[in-house]
Amino acid sequence: MHDIGKIRVPDELLCKPTRLTQAEFNLIKTHPDVGFDIVKGIHFPWPVATMIQQYHERMDGSGYPQGLKGTDIVLEARILAVADTVEAMASHRPYRPGLGIDAALAEIEHKNGQWFDTEVVQACLRLFREQGYRLA
């Protein structure tokens, strides 16, 4: 559901096998706001619309669409950011093969505190490394 806003992004961009141009990437970066607009009127027991809008925000303020930082980003979006990154890196994409879970976990460790919430990263690492969780 977090990518529902990609419904307004042309398929040829989502499936493009080569690097995106800056203009193409700017169009893709609209999907969190589009997703927010799609679901904002639906009642959920969690802040789903806000999660969708904020999951590309980064702890240091370098994310999008609003450039939020730290605890201005709702916890649920901080969790979704880590989960989305791990899944996206570990899985195959049109522009590259899957990098595997070890590379994904190394990336969130590397960006721990900068892009990702430290407590969320630590919980994710424990889940995979200590509790044996695996992506399906």
Side-chain angles (χ1 to χ4, degrees):
M1 180 184 246
H2 66 284
D3 279 337
I4 193 169
K6 287 183 178 176
I7 197 165
R8 288 216 191 125
V9 176
D11 283 344
E12 53 269 14
L13 293 185
L14 298 175
C15 298
K16 188 175 178 180
T18 58
R19 189 168 187 82
L20 297 172
T21 66
Q22 189 60 50
E24 291 168 336
F25 185 56
N26 287 341
L27 182 59
I28 286 184
K29 287 180 9 179
T30 66
H31 82 273
D33 282 332
V34 171
F36 175 84
D37 288 340
I38 290 170
V39 303
K40 68 184 177 190
I42 303 170
H43 173 73
F44 294 100
W46 307 280
V48 173
T50 303
M51 291 164 60
I52 289 170
Q53 188 176 42
Q54 294 182 0
Y55 84 102
H56 280 294
E57 300 289 354
R58 299 295 177 240
M59 295 302 288
D60 65 1
S62 66
Y64 63 89
Q66 298 172 294
L68 299 176
K69 66 190 308 188
T71 57
D72 291 338
I73 306 163
V74 297
L75 176 60
E76 295 88 346
R78 288 180 268 152
I79 294 168
L80 185 54
V82 170
D84 181 59
T85 298
V86 169
E87 189 279 329
M89 288 187 68
S91 302
H92 175 78
R93 294 292 187 250
Y95 50 88
R96 62 146 175 82
L99 302 173
I101 194 65
D102 291 334
L105 296 179
E107 177 68 9
I108 65 167
E109 273 186 304
H110 178 69
K111 299 290 186 175
N112 185 11
Q114 178 185 359
W115 282 11
F116 305 116
D117 181 285
T118 298
E119 289 183 43
V120 175
V121 168
Q122 294 307 313
C124 181
L125 294 174
R126 280 192 308 274
L127 187 65
F128 280 92
R129 292 181 176 160
E130 296 172 19
Q131 298 180 15
Y133 184 79
R134 304 229 182 273
L135 293 177

